[in-house]
C-alpha cells in the first residue's frame, strides 16, 4: 500500500524514510538500478537512467576541467560489484557526457590518456579517473554515489526468478485464495468463501458453491482475511477474519459455520509456528503472538516472516511504526532502508539457503512490486529481480507448505482485484 | 479474550517449551570461555598495542555514545541522536535515558562529558541537560565515528575502579592472568544470552590452540599464518583484511636521494610471495595504509614488486647506504617478514641488516585499523605510526590526497593487510562479527557441542 490517499488505512502502513541529500540517495539509486535492470531486460540499448548519468556527468566535468577540450583515450575497468552490462552502460554514458563537455574520445594519438576505474568502498560506488598527460604523474579525480546497502558482492546473487501466475480476478476484494486438491479453488472475499471447480472441457473455473460469511459487526476498513486449508477429518478449511472464525465441514457439499472469535491467526505452521492475534477492529496484528518471538511482546505489525538460521529462527515483522524489525528472541533490531512495504512472507525453495522472504515494495515511481530476499545477517539481500504488479498489493500470504505464496493486487483503473500465485525458480 | 483463546494460548505455550527444548530458539545461560594474549580494563589503552581482541573485550564492559554498523555508518549507542552545526565544529549528542553504571549510579551527561574530556584533553566537552556538547577547534565531520572508538567508551572512574554501562560487569580481574565478566540483567540493550565470560590472559597462539582443542576455550585468537591449519572441528571466523603491516622508518628522509632509496626498497618487496608463501594468504598485499574494501582506491598505490626499477633507482645513487631493520622479538610474524624483506632488498642492491635492538633505521610494524570509518581509521593508523595526516575535506578524494601525502613522505611503506581470525568452539552459536573483526558477544549463545 503506497499511502493513505489511495487507500483507507487506520495507520500509515510504511513510511518512506527520509534519505540523505548530500550524496545520491540509496532509494533513488535503488530505483535507478531497478530501472536499469528492467530496461536491460526490455531493451538493452536504452539509457542507464538519470542517476548514472548524474555521476557520469560529474566525473566527465572533473576530467574535462583537467584535459580541456581535446582528444583523449578512454579506458573503463571494473573493480566493483557492477555487472558487465551495467559497466558497459556506464562507459557509454560517460563517453556521452565527455562529448557533451567538449572532450573528444578517440583511439587515435591523443593528448591525454584517461583510465576510469569503477570501484567501491563500504558504503558507496567510487568512480576514479586517472588522467595521464605526457610523462607527468597522473592526476586523480573521484566521484561517489551511494550504493544500495545490499548490492556489494551481490551482483551474482540475483539468481532466482519469481514466477507470477494469475489465479483469479474479480471486482470484489479478494482476501485470500487456497487450493483444495488440483481441481478446486477457494476464494475468500468479505462476503463469501466461494468454491470453484476446474472444468477441463471448458478450461475454466466454475462456481461450485458459495458459502456466506456470517458476522454481526461491520468489517473494518482495509479488511484482511486468511484462508487456511486444513483438510483433516473434521473440516476442509478455516477462514480467519477480524473477530470472526469460519470453519467448513469435511464433505461435499460443504457447509460453513462462522462465530465471533479472537483466536490467533496461524501465520505459519510446522516447522516455524507462529500464531498471531489480529485486532478485531483494525487491519493489523496486535503484537501478541504464540510462541513468543521476543522476550517482551512484539510491536503491532502487519506481516511477519521467519528467517531460519543454523539452530534457531529469527523473525522479520513489518511494524505499524513503518519499520521492518528483526527479532532474534531477545532483541528488536530495526532494519534500515529496506524499501519494503507492509506485506512479507517466507517461502521455502530449493534455491540459495532454501528460505527466501518475499516482500512488497513501499511504493515508488515504478509502482508496487514484490521481490525475493535472503537475510544472511541483518541486511536483507535481494536474490531476484522485482516482479511488478499493476496495482497496490492488498494481500500476501504463504501457502501451508511454504512453497508458494498468494499475492493480491488492486488495479484501481480496472476496478478489479487479481490474485496471483508466486513461486520461486532457481538460477533463471 | 474468550476462554477458548486462553486455553489455546496456554496449550501453545506448552508447545513453546517443547520447541525450545529442541534448540530452535536461542538459549540463555552458560559460560563462554575465552583465551587471548592481552586485555586491559582501561579504554585509554585500547588499540595499539593491545589489538582488536582487547578492544572487543573492552566493549563488553563499556558502551560508546555511538556505534558503527557493518558499513561504518554511525548508529545510536548511549547517544540516541546527534547534530552538528554547519561548520561541523559544534556537536550535540542527546543521551539515552534510563541507563545505569554497574553499581547503580545513573548515566548522566556530566559523567559522559567528564569521560570524554579525560580521553581527549584537547576537546571542549560540556553537558547540557540530557545532552553532551563538543566544541572543537577544527571541523570534525567524522566525530560520531571517533566516538565509536573503544578509547572513547564512557567510563566512570571511582576509587581506582573504572565502571561502565556495558552488557557485562567485571567480577574478577587479575591483570595478565584472568578476567571474569558477568552478564547484566539490567543492561539497556537487553541481557546477553550467556551468563558470564571467563577470559584467560597471556596465552600464546599455541596455548590458545591447545585450549580450543581440549575444549577449555570456546573463543580464541588465531595467528594469521595458522588460520588454515585449524582443525575442521573448529569453525574459523576471519575478518576482512584489517591489520596493516608496514615498514616504518625512524625519521623522515634527510635528502631526495634517501627518499629515492626508500622508493627502491618499496619496489623491491615481493608482497605477493610473502602473502602466498609465508602467510598462507592470510592477508592481501597492499601499497596503501587503508585496505581497498574500505576506500575503493587501494589500486592507485602499486603493490607489485618491480625489481628492475628498484635496481635502476638504486644504481642512480652513488653513496653507500646500509639500513638496520628491526622487528618485535615477541612476534614471530614480524621476524619472518623482516627476514624476507632483507632478502628482497639485497636483490635490488640495497644493504640491510636485521636487528632487534631498540634503535634501528626502520622496523616491521603491525597496526590494527580501529574504525570502519575510513577517515577515522586513517587518522588513527597515522597517529599509531607517529605520522601526521591532514584531510582537507570529507570526500574520498580528500581521503586519497591525505593518504597520498603520508605515503609520499616515505616514512612508511605499506606491505599488506592481515585478516583477524578467531577459532570457535563447536557450542558457539550466532557468532556475528563485523568486517573489522569486532564481536557481537551479547547476541552469541551456547548450544550443545555438535557431534
Amino acid at each position: 500500500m503506497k499511502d493513505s490517499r489511495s487507500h483507507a488505512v487506520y495507520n500509515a502502513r510504511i513510511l518512506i524514510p527520509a534519505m540523505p541529500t548530500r550524496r545520491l540517495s540509496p532509494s533513488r539509486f535503488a530505483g535507478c538500478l531497478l530501472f536499469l535492470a528492467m530496461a536491460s531486460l526490455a531493451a538493452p540499448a536504452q539509457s542507464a537512467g538519470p542517476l548514472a548519468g548524474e555521476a557520469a556527468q560529474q566525473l566527465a566535468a572533473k576530467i574535462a576541467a583537467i584535459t580541456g577540450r581535446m582528444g583523449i583515450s578512454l579506458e573503463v575497468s571494473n573493480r566493483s560489484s557492477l555487472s558487465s552490462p551495467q559497466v558497459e552502460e556506464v562507459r557509454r554514458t560517460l563517453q556521452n557526457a565527455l562529448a557533451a563537455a567538449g572532450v573528444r574520445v578517440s583511439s587515435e594519438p591523443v593528448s591525454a590518456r584517461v583510465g576510469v576505474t569503477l570501484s567501491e568502498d563500504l558504503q558507496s560506488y567510487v568512480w576514479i579517473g586517472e588522467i595521464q598527460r605526457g610523462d607527468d604523474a597522473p592526476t586523480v579525480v573521484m566521484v561517489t554515489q551511494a550504493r544500495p546497502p545490499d548490492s556489494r558482492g551481490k551482483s551474482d546473487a540475483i539468481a532466482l526468478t519469481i514466477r507470477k501466475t494469475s489465479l483469479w480476478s474479480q471486482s470484489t476484494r479478494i482476501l485470500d485464495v487456497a487450493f483444495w486438491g488440483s481441481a478446486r479453488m477457494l476464494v475468500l472475499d468479505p462476503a463469501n468463501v466461494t468454491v470453484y471447480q476446474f472444468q477441463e472441457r471448458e478450461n475454466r473455473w466454475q462456481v461450485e458453491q458459495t458459502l456466506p460469511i456470517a458476522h454481526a459487526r461491520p468489517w473494518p476498513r482495509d479488511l484482511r482475511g486468511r484462508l487456511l486449508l486444513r483438510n483433516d477429518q473434521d473440516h476442509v478449511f478455516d477462514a480467519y477474519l477480524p473477530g470472526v472464525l469460519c470453519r467448513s465441514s469435511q464433505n461435499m457439499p460443504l457447509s460453513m459455520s462462522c462465530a465471533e472469535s479472537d483466536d490467533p491467526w496461524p501465520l505459519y505452521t510446522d516447522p516455524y509456528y507462529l500464531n498471531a492475534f489480529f485486532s478485531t477492529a483494525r487491519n493489523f496484528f496486535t503484537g501478541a503472538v504464540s510462541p513468543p518471538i521476543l522476550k517482551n511482546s512484539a510491536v503491532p505489525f502487519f506481516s511477519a516472516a521467519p528467517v531460519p538460521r543454523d539452530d534457531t529462527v529469527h523473525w522479520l515483522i513489518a511494524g505499524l511504526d513503518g519499520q521492518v524489525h528483526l527479532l532474534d528472541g531477545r532483541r528488536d533490531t530495526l532494519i534500515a532502508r529496506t524499501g519494503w512495504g507492509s506485506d512479507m512472507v517466507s517461502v521455502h525453495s530449493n534455491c540459495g539457503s532454501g528460505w527466501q522472504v518475499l516482500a512488497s515494495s513501499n511504493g515508488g515511481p515504478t509502482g508496487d512490486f514484490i521481490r525475493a530476499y535472503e537475510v544472511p545477517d541483518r541486511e536483507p539481500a535481494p536474490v531476484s529481480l522485482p516482479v511488478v504488479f499493476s496495482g497496490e498489493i492488498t494481500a500476501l500470504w504463504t501457502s501451508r507448505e511454504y512453497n508458494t505464496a498468494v499475492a493480491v493486487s488492486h488495479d484501481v483503473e480496472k476496478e478489479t482485484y487479481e490474485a496471483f500465485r508466486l513461486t520461486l525458480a532457481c538460477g533463471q | 479474550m474468550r476462554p477458548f483463546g486462553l486455553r489455546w494460548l496456554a496449550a501453545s505455550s506448552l508447545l513453546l517449551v517443547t520447541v525450545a527444548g529442541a534448540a530452535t530458539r536461542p538459549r540463555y545461560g552458560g559460560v563462554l570461555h575465552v583465551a587471548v594474549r592481552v586485555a586491559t580494563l582501561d579504554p585509554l589503552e585500547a588499540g595499539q598495542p593491545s589489538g582488536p581482541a582487547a578492544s572487543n573485550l573492552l566493549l563488553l564492559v563499556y558502551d560508546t555514545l555511538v556505534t558503527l554498523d557493518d558499513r561504518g555508518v554511525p548508529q545510536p549507542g548511549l547517544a540516541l541522536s546527534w547534530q552538528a552545526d554547519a561548520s561541523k565544529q559544534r556537536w550535540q549528542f542527546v543521551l539515552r535515558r534510563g541507563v545505569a553504571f554497574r553499581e547503580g549510579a545513573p548515566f548522566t551527561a556530566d559523567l559522559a562529558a567528564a569521560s570524554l574530556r579525560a580521553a581527549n584533553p584537547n576537546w571542549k566537552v560540556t553537558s547540557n541537560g540530557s545532552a553532551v556538547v563538543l566544541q572543537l577547534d577544527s571541523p570534525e565531520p567524522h566525530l560520531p565515528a571517533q566516538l565509536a572508538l573503544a578509547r572513547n567508551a564512557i567510563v566512570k572512574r571511582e576509587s581506582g575502579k573504572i565502571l561502565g554501562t556495558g552488557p557485562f560487569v567485571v567480577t574478577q580481574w587479575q591483570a595478565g592472568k584472568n578476567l571474569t565478566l558477568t552478564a547484566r540483567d539490567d543492561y539497556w540493550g537487553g541481557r546477553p544470552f550467556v551468563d558470564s565470560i571467563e577470559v584467560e590472559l597471556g596465552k600464546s597462539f599455541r596455548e590458545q590452540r591447545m585450549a580450543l582443542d581440549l575444549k577449555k576455550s570456546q573463543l580464541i585468537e588465531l595467528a594469521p599464518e595458522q588460520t588454515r591449519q585449524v582443525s575442521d572441528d573448529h569453525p574459523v571466523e576471519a575478518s576482512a583484511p584489517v591489520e596493516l603491516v608496514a615498514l616504518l622508518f625512524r625519521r623522515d628522509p634527510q635528502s631526495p636521494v634517501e627518499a629515492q632509496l626508500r622508493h627502491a626498497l618499496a619496489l623491491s618487496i615481493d608482497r605477493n610471495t610473502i602473502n602466498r608463501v609465508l602467510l598462507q594468504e592470510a592477508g592481501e598485499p597492499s601499497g596503501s595504509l587503508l585496505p581497498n574494501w574500505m576506500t575503493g582506491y587501494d589500486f592507485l598505490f602499486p603493490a607489485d614488486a618491480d625489481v628492475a626499477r628498484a635496481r635502476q633507482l638504486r644504481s642512480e645513487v652513488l653513496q653507500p647506504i646500509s639500513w638496520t631493520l628491526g622487528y618485535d622479538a615477541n612476534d614471530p610474524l614480524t621476524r619472518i617478514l623482516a627476514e624476507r624483506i632483507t632478502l628482497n632488498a639485497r636483490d635490488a642492491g640495497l644493504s640491510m641488516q636485521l636487528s632487534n635492538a631498540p634503535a634501528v633505521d626502520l622496523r616491521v610494524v603491525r597496526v590494527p585499523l580501529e574504525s570502519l570509518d575510513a577517515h577515522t581509521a586513517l587518522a588513527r593508523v597515522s597517529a599509531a605510526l607517529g605520522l601526521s595526516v591532514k584531510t582537507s575535506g570529507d570526500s574520498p578524494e580528500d581521503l586519497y590526497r591525505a593518504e597520498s601525502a603520508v605515503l609520499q613522505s616515505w616514512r612508511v611503506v605499506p606491505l599488506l593487510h592481515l585478516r583477524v581470525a578467531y577459532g570457535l568452539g563447536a557450542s558457539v552459536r550466532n557468532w556475528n562479527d563485523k568486517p573489522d573483526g569486532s564481536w557481537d558477544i551479547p547476541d552469541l549463545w551456547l548450544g550443545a557441542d555438535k557431534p
Side-chain angles (χ1 to χ4, degrees):
Chain A
M1 186 167 298
K2 289 176 217 171
D3 61 38
S4 57
R5 290 169 300 177
S6 61
H7 201 289
V9 291
Y10 291 102
N11 300 279
R13 276 186 151 188
I14 293 287
L15 302 174
I16 299 173
M19 292 297 174
T21 55
R22 190 173 168 278
R23 287 176 173 171
L24 301 174
S25 74
S27 62
R28 289 180 62 201
F29 192 72
C32 178
L33 281 186
L34 168 62
F35 175 81
L36 270 173
M38 293 167 59
S40 64
L41 287 176
Q46 285 186 352
S47 157
L51 194 61
E54 197 175 322
Q57 283 176 6
Q58 289 176 9
L59 187 59
K62 288 191 173 189
I63 293 170
I66 293 166
T67 62
R69 301 167 72 89
M70 57 174 61
I72 64 165
S73 67
L74 177 66
E75 186 176 336
V76 178
S77 57
N78 181 34
R79 298 172 65 99
S80 73
S81 55
L82 289 174
S83 65
S84 298
Q86 288 173 316
V87 171
E88 181 58 24
E89 190 69 26
V90 170
R91 192 190 65 76
R92 278 200 302 270
T93 309
L94 178 63
Q95 196 161 332
N96 292 338
L98 284 167
V103 179
R104 181 173 51 86
V105 178
S106 170
S107 56
E108 297 169 2
V110 291
S111 56
R113 285 179 287 122
V114 177
V116 170
T117 303
L118 308 181
S119 185
E120 62 192 352
D121 62 18
L122 264 180
Q123 298 173 25
S124 309
Y125 291 109
V126 183
W127 295 359
I128 301 169
E130 295 175 85
I131 302 146
Q132 181 77 56
R133 289 176 298 177
D135 294 331
D136 296 344
T139 305
V140 175
V141 294
M142 297 184 192
V143 298
T144 62
Q145 62 182 31
R147 195 184 60 231
D150 41 24
S151 69
R152 192 157 77 151
K154 305 284 197 313
S155 61
D156 297 329
I158 299 178
L160 308 187
T161 300
I162 302 175
R163 287 184 176 153
K164 185 176 81 169
T165 308
S166 179
L167 298 175
W168 189 248
S169 176
Q170 63 184 40
S171 60
T172 309
R173 185 184 183 99
I174 300 173
L175 304 179
D176 198 3
V177 174
F179 284 85
W180 176 24
S182 58
R184 283 196 172 91
M185 177 173 69
L186 310 173
V187 177
L188 173 65
D189 65 35
N192 304 293
V193 174
T194 306
V195 182
Y196 294 88
Q197 187 171 32
F198 191 72
Q199 303 295 319
E200 295 234 6
R201 189 175 301 169
E202 301 171 27
N203 195 31
R204 68 184 183 93
W205 294 97
Q206 186 170 342
V207 176
E208 187 176 17
Q209 251 192 298
T210 299
L211 305 168
I213 297 170
H215 58 105
R217 289 181 292 187
W219 289 136
R221 294 177 190 272
D222 189 25
L223 179 64
R224 301 177 69 185
R226 173 90 162 114
L227 200 53
L228 202 70
L229 198 69
R230 300 293 193 184
N231 206 17
D232 58 21
Q233 57 186 2
D234 295 328
H235 62 304
V236 174
F237 66 84
D238 288 327
Y240 291 83
L241 295 115
V244 173
L245 172 59
C246 298
R247 179 163 293 181
S248 78
S249 63
Q250 168 60 28
N251 299 313
M252 291 295 290
L254 292 176
S255 62
M256 185 173 77
S257 61
C258 298
E260 288 191 14
S261 168
D262 55 7
D263 289 353
W265 296 17
L267 287 181
Y268 295 92
T269 55
D270 185 54
Y272 304 115
Y273 296 94
L274 188 68
N275 301 281
F277 288 88
F278 197 89
S279 173
T280 56
R282 294 291 187 269
N283 60 352
F284 57 79
F285 295 93
T286 63
V289 296
S290 177
I293 55 177
L294 199 61
K295 196 175 175 185
N296 302 313
S297 64
V299 298
F301 60 91
F302 290 113
S303 60
V307 181
R309 296 285 162 83
D310 287 343
D311 293 304
T312 184
V313 59
H314 295 182
W315 288 86
L316 287 169
I317 62 171
L320 262 64
D321 55 4
Q323 306 274 5
V324 176
H325 299 245
L326 178 62
L327 313 180
D328 63 5
R330 185 180 64 87
R331 185 173 294 182
D332 180 345
T333 305
L334 294 181
I335 307 297
R337 297 193 295 274
T338 60
W340 289 6
S342 305
D343 294 291
M344 65 172 87
V345 293
S346 280
V347 291
H348 186 37
S349 74
N350 294 322
C351 323
S353 70
W355 287 90
Q356 287 81 32
V357 176
L358 298 180
S360 64
S361 67
N362 63 3
T366 54
D368 264 10
F369 59 82
I370 287 176
R371 194 171 194 181
Y373 298 82
E374 291 207 355
V375 190
D377 41 52
R378 290 182 176 178
E379 286 194 6
V383 291
S384 78
L385 290 175
V387 56
V388 181
F389 293 81
S390 57
E392 65 192 18
I393 304 298
T394 59
L396 182 61
W397 302 111
T398 188
S399 67
R400 184 185 170 90
E401 297 78 22
Y402 294 107
N403 55 352
T404 63
V406 168
V408 179
S409 75
H410 180 208
D411 190 326
V412 177
E413 287 188 9
K414 293 181 182 173
E415 296 183 344
T416 59
Y417 289 84
E418 187 168 8
F420 299 89
R421 172 191 274 159
L422 305 180
T423 53
L424 286 173
C426 308
Q428 298 182 31
Chain B
M1 183 181 294
R2 295 193 316 160
F4 178 79
L6 285 171
R7 284 197 304 273
W8 196 95
L9 186 59
S12 55
S13 297
L14 288 174
L15 177 65
L16 169 65
V17 173
T18 307
V19 172
T24 54
R25 289 185 179 278
R27 294 177 181 173
Y28 282 88
V31 179
L32 176 68
H33 296 274
V34 180
V36 295
R37 287 164 298 166
V38 293
T40 173
L41 287 183
D42 191 339
L44 294 181
E45 296 173 4
Q48 184 75 347
S50 303
S55 294
N56 279 318
L57 288 172
L58 277 171
L59 292 176
L60 297 177
V61 180
Y62 312 105
D63 287 318
T64 50
L65 292 188
V66 179
T67 64
L68 297 184
D69 67 14
D70 289 357
R71 288 157 54 91
V73 178
Q75 303 290 340
L78 286 175
L80 284 172
S81 63
W82 49 89
Q83 58 184 14
D85 65 4
S87 71
K88 304 286 185 190
Q89 287 182 258
R90 187 178 190 278
W91 286 81
Q92 176 167 297
F93 292 81
V94 177
L95 304 184
R96 190 181 292 274
R97 295 176 185 273
V99 178
F101 285 94
R102 164 194 173 175
E103 292 177 349
F107 164 67
T108 64
D110 286 341
L111 287 170
S115 178
L116 291 175
R117 279 195 300 267
N120 305 277
N122 295 331
W123 289 0
K124 290 178 190 167
V125 191
T126 56
S127 58
N128 180 10
S130 61
V132 168
V133 178
L134 287 89
Q135 183 69 50
L136 307 166
D137 294 334
S138 58
E140 285 288 357
H142 295 270
L143 184 66
Q146 286 192 50
L147 293 183
L149 295 170
R151 69 182 306 277
N152 285 324
I154 303 302
V155 302
K156 182 183 175 203
R157 295 174 189 271
E158 187 177 82
S159 307
K161 288 184 178 177
I162 310 175
L163 306 179
T165 61
F168 291 87
V169 295
V170 178
T171 47
Q172 186 178 344
W173 166 245
Q174 283 186 287
K177 290 186 176 177
N178 58 62
L179 168 67
T180 303
L181 305 172
T182 302
R184 285 181 63 169
D185 287 331
D186 62 345
Y187 181 56
W188 60 268
R191 182 198 189 276
F193 285 124
V194 298
D195 288 336
S196 62
I197 303 172
E198 292 184 0
V199 186
E200 282 195 277
L201 305 173
K203 298 294 181 186
S204 67
F205 286 124
R206 192 178 64 83
E207 291 169 322
Q208 292 182 42
R209 278 283 310 279
M210 287 176 60
L212 184 68
D213 290 339
L214 295 172
K215 298 186 178 178
K216 290 181 177 177
S217 290
Q218 295 143 310
L219 169 58
I220 64 163
E221 302 167 295
L222 291 173
E225 67 276 17
Q226 293 176 345
T227 303
R228 293 193 168 195
Q229 301 166 11
V230 175
S231 150
D232 291 339
D233 296 340
H234 302 299
V236 172
E237 297 287 343
S239 72
V242 289
E243 185 175 23
L244 171 70
V245 182
L247 293 176
L248 179 66
F249 283 87
R250 183 166 54 89
R251 60 180 189 179
D252 287 331
Q254 303 300 296
S255 65
V257 165
E258 193 175 348
Q260 181 169 331
L261 289 172
R262 292 183 187 187
H263 188 187
L265 173 62
L267 289 169
S268 74
I269 300 169
D270 187 352
R271 295 171 177 83
N272 290 313
T273 299
I274 287 174
N275 184 51
R276 194 173 61 250
V277 177
L278 299 183
L279 299 177
Q280 301 290 302
E281 298 192 349
E284 284 185 2
S286 178
S288 63
L289 297 173
L290 300 181
N292 191 66
W293 59 267
M294 187 177 272
T295 65
Y297 62 62
D298 166 271
F299 65 93
L300 293 172
F301 301 105
D304 289 337
D306 187 345
V307 179
R309 173 85 175 125
R311 284 177 183 149
Q312 182 192 343
L313 290 173
R314 174 68 188 94
S315 66
E316 291 171 359
V317 177
L318 298 178
Q319 69 185 65
I321 189 164
S322 179
W323 286 314
T324 51
L325 172 60
Y327 57 89
D328 181 351
N330 296 317
D331 183 355
L333 182 66
T334 58
R335 180 185 176 102
I336 59 172
L337 291 177
E339 289 170 347
R340 178 55 64 104
I341 289 164
T342 302
L343 294 177
N344 286 159
R346 288 174 185 164
D347 286 345
L350 297 162
S351 175
M352 184 176 279
Q353 304 297 324
L354 278 186
S355 170
N356 58 9
V360 290
D361 297 313
L362 70 163
R363 62 176 56 250
V364 181
V365 294
R366 297 171 62 176
V367 184
L369 302 181
E370 292 183 54
S371 177
L372 282 171
D373 175 81
H375 284 79
T376 304
L378 180 61
R380 294 299 301 163
V381 75
S382 300
L385 294 171
L387 308 174
S388 66
V389 60
K390 189 70 179 174
T391 50
S392 56
D394 189 23
S395 71
E397 244 171 4
D398 298 320
L399 186 74
Y400 164 73
R401 290 193 186 111
E403 185 169 353
S404 294
V406 173
L407 294 176
Q408 283 167 9
S409 73
W410 289 114
R411 275 288 304 279
V412 61
V413 177
L415 301 174
L416 41 84
H417 291 98
L418 293 175
R419 294 180 180 83
V420 176
Y422 303 103
L424 302 179
S427 60
V428 172
R429 303 282 192 276
N430 197 33
W431 171 264
N432 288 304
D433 56 356
K434 293 179 183 172
D436 63 351
S438 55
W439 305 339
D440 181 11
I441 294 291
D443 278 339
L444 176 152
W445 56 284
L446 300 173
D449 279 2
K450 291 174 183 171

